[in-house]
Structures are given as C-alpha cells and as structure tokens.
Amino acid sequence: MANTETALKEALTSIEGATGVALVDYTSGMALGTMGGTKTFDLNVAAAGNTDVIRAKMRTMEMLGIKSEIEDVLITLTDQYHLIRLLKGRGGNGLFLYLVLDATRANLAMARHQLKRIEEDLEV
C-alpha cells in the first residue's frame, strides 16, 4: 500500500509523458496532494475545475438512470491529455486521481493501465 505522496511520485516518474498529478476530493474541490505542474499550469486550479466535470457527469448519469460507475474521464487537448480516475477502494469514496500528460510523449493506453495500478495500491 502506498501513501498519497508515494503514489503521486510514482505516477509522475513512471508514467511516460506525465507532467502533473493530483489527488483530489471532488466533494470539496480541494487537491489533497499535487506533484509537477508548471508556473503557467496550476494543479490546484485544475483540480477545482475538474471537480465540476465529475459532478456534472454524475448528475447527468443520475438523471438518465445510469447505474454504472465512472472508471475514468479523458479530456484530449491538442498537446495534452487530462486523465481523471475515480478511486474505488475503501477510503477512496469522493476522491479522484488527476493526471496531465504531454500528448507527444504519452502512451494513453499504458498511462490508463499504470494509473489504475497506482490507484489500487493507494492507501488513503
């Protein structure tokens, strides 16, 4: 089992093309931990904004009567991928991992696979 700091460090160093990662509480919009990012890319601002994405999707699913669970959400930009993975394990309710990838260097399938593994090992 990995703690938050270890999990974020592993995501940032082991996932090809990763430029930033955060553990986010989508009930409050607060980042519980961040690693990476740049002066022009504030992970705390991104965490709060992506909380709205998750909330909107959950409301829509509820209105449509969809009973499935969200595994992850992918947002593709011209030069980046933003991957949001909801935590499933005990203590993970209301949390998601947010990963920013450089689209020119990232292997999206591998990033999803590795982020899932990191999520499974994360002890919150």
Side-chain angles (χ1 to χ4, degrees):
M1 292 292 164
N3 65 21
T4 301
E5 183 179 348
T6 303
L8 296 178
K9 185 180 285 187
E10 183 178 355
L12 195 60
T13 58
S14 72
I15 299 176
E16 184 74 27
T19 60
V21 63
L23 177 64
V24 184
D25 177 343
Y26 64 79
T27 58
S28 69
M30 298 291 294
L32 304 178
T34 64
M35 205 166 277
T38 64
K39 291 179 189 176
T40 59
F41 192 91
D42 186 333
L43 282 166
N44 289 299
V45 173
N50 283 300
T51 293
D52 293 336
V53 171
I54 294 300
R55 288 178 185 162
K57 186 59 186 172
M58 290 180 148
R59 275 193 311 274
T60 303
M61 289 172 61
E62 186 177 339
M63 289 186 298
L64 293 171
I66 297 172
K67 302 296 182 206
S68 298
E69 294 182 349
I70 299 171
E71 282 189 33
D72 55 39
V73 175
L74 172 64
I75 300 167
T76 58
L77 306 177
T78 55
D79 59 350
Q80 294 178 338
Y81 299 129
H82 293 215
L83 187 57
I84 302 167
R85 178 158 187 90
L86 276 67
L87 273 63
K88 300 286 188 263
R90 60 192 159 100
N93 195 24
L95 302 178
F96 66 84
L97 283 167
Y98 170 62
L99 181 67
V100 181
L101 298 158
D102 176 338
T104 63
R105 298 185 302 130
N107 177 327
L108 189 53
M110 281 303 295
R112 288 183 71 223
H113 176 73
Q114 288 175 283
L115 196 60
K116 180 181 180 182
R117 184 185 46 77
I118 290 167
E119 178 248 329
E120 289 170 349
D121 290 341
L122 179 59
E123 179 80 26
V124 187

